[in-house]
Amino acid sequence: MIKLNNDWDEFLQEETAKPYYVELRKFLVSEYRSRPIFPPMNDIFNALKYCPLENVKAVILGQDPYINPGEAHGMAFSVNTGIKIPPSLVNIFKELKDDVGVEIPTSGCLVKWAEQGVLLLNAVLTVRARSSRSHARMGWEHFTDAVIGKVNEKDKPVAFLLWGKDAQAKQPLISNPVHKTLIAAHPSPLAGGRFFGSKHFSKTNEFLEENDVKPIDWRL
């Protein structure tokens, strides 16, 4: 049984008992035994671990984990301190500086954002080494739909930052009018720089402040 010791535990208990997740778990057990899979098994749910449901004030939604060894650690776009900052995160930091004037960090660890209420969620939570989208359509999409559904139920306003097509496919799940949805291209260099100028960091804080919610300190 998965236990995070926060308010996601009841959700996890219910969701992981469903038939689709039972099949997903069988697939994951086989995958982790037979080949390199990221993130490490104990890190899969770090996005929920570091950001309790009660605290969520923004959701940054990406595609799937980083595919290179040592990078993915269970939170979208984040890497542990000491790991070279991946190209997508380089672009995120460039936009962050252009948007709100934050100096580009030397570490790619985004735990500080998570601890302030930023849920760093990928649409798919695991991946084979060096093979993007290799765990797509195996069940994770159902799981992350359910996570977004729980956040959508919140009465307190939440900003949803949907980066890329996989993230934007979740938009119909965000039906509660108290929330705000922000759309941008994926920050990957493959998107040709269309992510730049989205100003999602300042727009998120403007929305939170308009609703008397403490803004995010984006500095790392």
Side-chain angles (χ1 to χ4, degrees):
M1 181 184 295
I2 303 160
K3 281 191 70 68
L4 304 179
N5 297 314
N6 66 22
D7 58 2
W8 284 111
D9 280 343
E10 182 178 353
F11 163 82
L12 285 168
Q13 184 176 1
E14 294 176 359
E15 201 65 24
T16 58
K18 293 180 179 179
Y20 86 86
Y21 193 90
V22 173
E23 292 304 308
L24 171 61
R25 185 179 184 280
K26 291 178 183 176
F27 168 75
L28 291 174
V29 168
S30 174
E31 287 285 282
Y32 274 94
R33 284 176 177 169
S34 62
R35 66 187 79 220
I37 302 297
F38 305 136
M41 190 177 291
N42 290 336
D43 289 343
I44 292 174
F45 298 101
N46 275 351
L48 306 182
K49 176 181 177 180
Y50 286 101
C51 187
L53 176 60
E54 180 183 12
N55 294 353
V56 177
K57 59 177 75 171
V59 179
I60 293 179
L61 192 60
Q63 179 180 295
D64 58 359
Y66 293 125
I67 60 173
N68 295 318
E71 292 182 344
H73 71 126
M75 295 187 292
F77 301 107
S78 182
V79 293
N80 280 314
T81 299
I83 301 297
K84 183 180 177 181
I85 298 174
S88 292
L89 189 53
V90 168
N91 284 348
I92 290 169
F93 286 164
K94 286 179 180 177
E95 173 65 16
L96 182 67
K97 182 177 182 180
D98 290 344
D99 184 13
V100 294
V102 170
E103 286 303 311
I104 293 177
T106 57
S107 168
C109 184
L110 306 182
V111 168
K112 183 179 177 183
W113 291 359
E115 291 175 340
Q116 292 182 77
V118 181
L119 182 62
L120 296 160
L121 186 69
N122 279 313
V124 173
L125 300 190
T126 55
V127 72
R128 291 177 182 171
R130 297 184 174 88
S131 183
S132 294
R133 300 176 61 86
S134 49
H135 282 186
R137 298 180 297 279
M138 300 306 300
W140 278 128
E141 292 88 349
H142 295 294
F143 180 85
T144 53
D145 280 358
V147 170
I148 291 168
K150 289 298 292 185
V151 178
N152 183 61
E153 292 172 4
K154 286 172 63 78
D155 293 328
K156 293 181 180 179
V158 175
F160 288 83
L161 288 61
L162 309 184
W163 294 350
K165 291 182 180 179
D166 290 69
Q168 291 160 23
K170 305 285 194 186
Q171 188 172 4
L173 302 171
I174 307 163
S175 58
N176 188 333
V178 305
H179 305 317
K180 184 179 184 67
T181 303
L182 299 168
I183 302 294
H186 194 279
S188 166
L190 297 176
R194 290 179 287 113
F195 173 74
F196 296 124
S198 56
K199 297 190 179 297
H200 280 192
F201 302 104
S202 60
K203 289 177 180 178
T204 293
N205 278 350
E206 287 167 6
F207 169 71
L208 294 175
E209 289 177 314
E210 287 168 1
N211 288 278
D212 298 318
V213 178
K214 185 179 180 180
I216 308 296
D217 180 356
W218 297 108
R219 294 173 297 177
L220 294 168

